[in-house]
Amino acid sequence: MNESEKRMHRVCFTGHRPEKLSRPEIAIKTDLEVQIRQAVADGRNVFITGMARGVDIWSAQIVLKLRNDGMTIRLICACPYDGFEAGWSQSWQREYKRILKSADLVKYICAGYCRSCFQIRNKWMVNHSSMVIAVFSNDTKGGTKNTIDYAHMTGVPVTCIQG
């Protein structure tokens, strides 16, 4: 299968950090699971997460849960750089490392931190996906907005969940 054929089966996630969301975590996770199940029903079976706190981690948790429940799906962790999680709380770091160990593929997009590493990671995810699932609070700026705009600009459909 060539890269463009693989892309047709892939979905990536974008969304805000927990402190920027107005809806409860459980409600967002419920909506994410509905959209992930719909993507699988539509023939998509590989999910790419950028591994940031909040939506990215929650999406990865759901994909791994569904995979463990028997769905034939895979998880790619597209980390901006190795050590990205170093400044997080112990609990977030623990969950980040657990997900990396369970992922089907871990890809570090940049060799190390640089100002544009998050945007480079976000573009990489969109460029390797046929759909974006976004949790968005209608912010006019930031990484989630930039990722949604980039997806629209490149013709990749975006499904939005209210954040």
Side-chain angles (χ1 to χ4, degrees):
M1 194 181 303
N2 68 32
E3 185 56 36
S4 65
E5 290 170 323
K6 288 180 184 176
R7 182 179 183 176
M8 296 314 299
H9 298 282
R10 294 187 194 136
V11 176
C12 69
F13 302 101
T14 190
H16 302 300
R17 307 300 172 271
E19 57 274 10
K20 289 184 75 178
L21 296 165
S22 57
R23 294 176 59 223
E25 176 181 338
I26 189 70
I28 291 169
K29 282 182 165 179
T30 299
D31 290 348
L32 280 167
E33 183 168 341
V34 166
Q35 292 303 322
I36 291 167
R37 288 180 179 276
Q38 184 59 55
V40 172
D42 293 341
R44 294 177 172 99
N45 62 352
V46 178
F47 295 87
I48 305 173
T49 175
M51 290 300 289
R53 289 184 309 105
V55 171
D56 291 357
I57 296 275
W58 299 338
S59 299
Q61 290 170 333
I62 294 163
V63 169
L64 291 174
K65 177 183 85 76
L66 295 173
R67 189 185 73 185
N68 291 341
D69 290 347
M71 273 194 184
T72 309
I73 57 178
R74 295 185 304 159
L75 179 67
I76 297 174
C77 295
C79 305
Y81 59 92
D82 192 11
F84 162 56
E85 80 291 357
W88 298 354
S89 70
Q90 290 287 1
S91 60
W92 279 110
Q93 285 190 45
R94 219 175 4 261
E95 188 57 14
Y96 177 90
K97 289 173 180 157
R98 184 192 73 79
I99 291 167
L100 291 185
K101 285 183 185 148
S102 300
D104 297 284
L105 175 67
V106 176
K107 177 153 182 69
Y108 295 101
I109 305 301
C110 297
Y113 174 79
C114 64
R115 282 184 48 192
S116 59
C117 66
F118 303 107
Q119 188 166 350
I120 293 167
R121 183 255 339 252
N122 295 343
K123 285 183 174 182
W124 185 92
M125 293 192 310
V126 171
N127 290 340
H128 288 82
S129 298
S130 63
M131 176 186 174
V132 177
I133 297 174
V135 178
F136 185 56
S137 297
N138 300 316
D139 286 355
T140 56
K141 59 184 196 285
T144 299
K145 174 78 165 94
N146 291 344
T147 303
I148 291 168
D149 289 348
Y150 181 73
H152 288 312
M153 188 180 78
T154 57
V156 176
V158 178
T159 297
C160 276
I161 295 168
Q162 182 58 45

